[in-house]
Amino acid sequence: MPQSLTKVYTHIVFATKHRIPMIDDHLEDPLFKYIGGICNSLECYPIQVGGYRDHVHILCRLSPKIAQMRLVREIKRSSSVWVKTQGIKYRNFYWQGGYSIFSVNPTRVSKVTEYIKNQRQHHQHRDYKTEVLAFLNQYNVEYDPKYLWD
């Protein structure tokens, strides 16, 4: 084949450092839009960005020009710098060191989109740790529990 054709959807999840609930109502929408802009600039076109107080979900198409690790590193670095410009109460804003990234079947993109859109309601019944464990189990990801949270 003389050309490279790709369409890889990814669901990225990461939290604030120590899961401190710093994503408040003032920050939420602008932060999610800013993260979408970072994805766009890296040709990883965002489908949905959302989350809740202490974490973020990103559903995007992964560009064939960038490694997963670089994409997440750039999202976290750029958005952290930006958040710190949003007011004095955000001066100690940091993301956690790790992240989760999962492939998404194209037939499930709309379902994942809705899941991300409904984070506020979703987290009235389930905390971040329970959510991450469910994803890890669903995708059969091996992990060491002693390194999972901090």
Side-chain angles (χ1 to χ4, degrees), residues 60-109:
C60 66
R61 281 185 37 210
L62 183 63
S63 170
K65 299 176 186 176
I66 190 167
Q68 296 173 13
M69 180 180 71
R70 182 169 164 247
L71 169 63
V72 176
R73 182 180 64 223
E74 187 58 30
I75 291 169
K76 289 166 73 173
R77 186 195 64 77
S78 296
S79 63
S80 181
V81 168
W82 178 84
V83 168
K84 290 174 181 159
T85 70
Q86 300 307 298
I88 196 151
K89 69 180 181 177
Y90 305 112
R91 72 176 178 263
N92 292 318
F93 183 93
Y94 297 96
W95 295 114
Q96 69 179 22
Y99 63 91
S100 299
I101 186 167
F102 307 102
S103 59
V104 177
N105 185 315
T107 63
R108 298 198 33 94
V109 165

Side-chain angles (χ1 to χ4, degrees), residues 4 8-9 11 16 25 27 39-40 48 55 57 63-67 69 77 80 87 90 108 115 117 122 140 145:
S4 299
V8 177
Y9 294 99
H11 180 185
T16 59
D25 291 340
L27 188 61
C39 292
N40 263 324
Q48 188 66 45
H55 69 283
H57 292 260
S63 170
K65 299 176 186 176
I66 190 167
M69 180 180 71
R77 186 195 64 77
S80 181
Y90 305 112
R108 298 198 33 94
Y115 179 82
K117 282 182 182 179
H122 177 73
N140 295 318

Side-chain angles (χ1 to χ4, degrees), residues 13-16 18-19 96-100 102 128-137 141-150:
V13 184
F14 55 86
T16 59
H18 305 298
R19 293 174 312 285
Q96 69 179 22
Y99 63 91
S100 299
F102 307 102
Y128 173 73
K129 285 184 174 184
T130 305
E131 179 180 53
V132 169
L133 288 172
F135 281 127
L136 295 175
N137 290 327
V141 176
E142 293 181 21
Y143 62 92
D144 185 336
K146 71 180 180 182
Y147 298 113
L148 193 57
W149 304 118
D150 286 319

